[in-house]
Amino acid sequence: MTVETLIPVAYLIAAVTFILGLKGLSSPTTAVQGNRIAAAGMLIAVIATFFAADVNGGVPLILAGVAVGGVAGFAGARMVKMTAMPQMVALFNGAGGGAAALVAILEFARQRELGVLEFGASLATLLALIIGAVSFSGSAVAFGKLQGLITPKAFRYGGQQLVTGGIAAATALLSLVLLAGVIGGSFAIEPMLLIAVITLLALAFGVALVMPIGGADMPVVISLLNAYTGLAVAMAGFTLNNQLLIVAGTLVGASGTILTRLMSKAMNRSLGNVLFGAFGAVTPAGAAGPAAGDDGRSIRSIGPEDAAILLSYAQNVIVVPGYGLAVAQAQHSVRELADLLESRGISVKYAIHPVAGRMPGHMNVLLAEANVPYDKLFDMDQINPEFQRADVALVIGANDVTNPAARSNPGSPIYGMPILDVDKAQNIIVIKRSMKPGFAGIDNDLYLDPKTAMLFGDAKDAVGKVVQELKKTA
Ligand code: TAP
């Protein structure tokens, strides 16, 4: 028995750990463990690959690549702010797609040189190349939009769909020409030239696909591109005859697809609407209701002292965290506030909207960081019936996910998106810095509700002041 015969066994173990890891990631209580299991599996897979016969001479180069990539990935992951995580995921994801495309190009060139090109493998190689290149350039645009390097607004022009469709059609046509050459054994056009043009077209298609999508939809797009990368990697697995790549790529493709569907569903949108619709592209002033004061209603602003009094008279408080809580890093102050209220016999629960923040599970991760017990976190469906019994709904840096226009205004871009029924609470305190809209760019009628009191300020600072005021009343 040679070491090489053990490689499939190592790959099998790795594949099992990936599945167990994914299972672990499905709950906050087991997520860290799931991540570790999958990472251990990946280590096994990487080590096993070094013993593959065809890696022979390349070990020093691979080690150099691992060192450069490892250091960059490690430093990036340590330095990135939680709020910039979607960009980071886009970047890593794009790198995966790009890698699959490069493998495809090199493998096609190698097989051609050896004269062993055949239809099945070439088809897989082409798919890895095209999907990988689309994912690479699409992810780069998504990164640029979220990082503010290019406009986060939807970029549109007349005849856009025709141009995008033309790029797709040209890619498909040249791919057919290439495959016909593989089948016939002779090429009308130099195949590596065809590969180069197909690569450029696929890169252009990725750009054309993501540019018309508004910033608010970017997390969904990143999840979709993630699924593409998985598919590209699986195809590269067929090309290289590597079972682990096929399994890992398929897992990424499937989980990315499921996540994309879940996110679209939470926003009550079809994937087609995300990709070709207008959400995040339009910011019609007042589309979600009158601007402050338009119809005689006015904003009621309070200070930390009033907020503390309101909270101290409550029996049931529901905290509604949103993106602003993440920006302010207010999770520890919120925990302190909740502890204080609970020590006085007040019930505190957290309402978690599936797309609160900027990435799936954003609020869960933040609150877990402050050791908020998981059993105090409630999904939208669980908590919504409880709002009418809540004495105070304390909205901290959340906006779109509380906007009643989603229920009542068919003209609103977020109409139909399920929201947290904050407006049903007896009293509402909203902590945010200004009257500026959230990510969807629309006004929030909740702020004009007579039951709503606005506590303007940075979330961490404002919650800290409320805690101080509460302590005075002890
Ligand atoms: P948003 O609607 O984006 O609102 C966040 C609010 O936080 C803003 O109105 C902002 O108002 C406030 N804020 C910002 N910095 C703050 C600070 N330092 N202190 C206090 N407040 C601060 O957030 P949301 O309610 O969480 O909704 C998430 C949005 O992202 C939705 O539109 C959702 O569809 C979209 N989205 C999310 C996801 C995922 S997976 N989470 C995916 C796709 C899309 P001020 O500027 O006035 O402070």
Side-chain angles (χ1 to χ4, degrees), residues 75-92:
R78 299 250 7 139
M79 283 186 319
V80 70
K81 283 194 189 146
M82 200 54 141
T83 46
M85 205 52 101
Q87 291 94 299
M88 181 92 179
V89 174
L91 216 56
F92 284 171

Side-chain angles (χ1 to χ4, degrees), residues 122-136:
S122 298
L123 179 64
T125 307
L126 257 180
L127 287 173
L129 168 64
I130 295 169
I131 303 171
V134 169
S135 179
F136 174 75

Side-chain angles (χ1 to χ4, degrees), residues 215-220 263 267 279 321-325 327-328 354-363 396-402 414 417 431-440 447 457-460:
D217 283 332
M218 226 24 80
V220 186
M263 284 161 85
M267 296 159 89
F279 182 60
Y323 177 65
L325 184 136
V327 175
V355 293
R358 291 290 182 271
M359 59 181 180
H362 202 165
M363 296 301 119
I396 308 177
N399 189 341
D400 296 341
V401 299
T402 67
I414 62 165
M417 168 173 145
I431 300 180
K432 70 199 290 289
R433 297 164 306 176
S434 66
M435 287 304 292
K436 279 194 194 146
F439 208 39
Y447 306 152
D458 172 77
K460 187 173 173 184

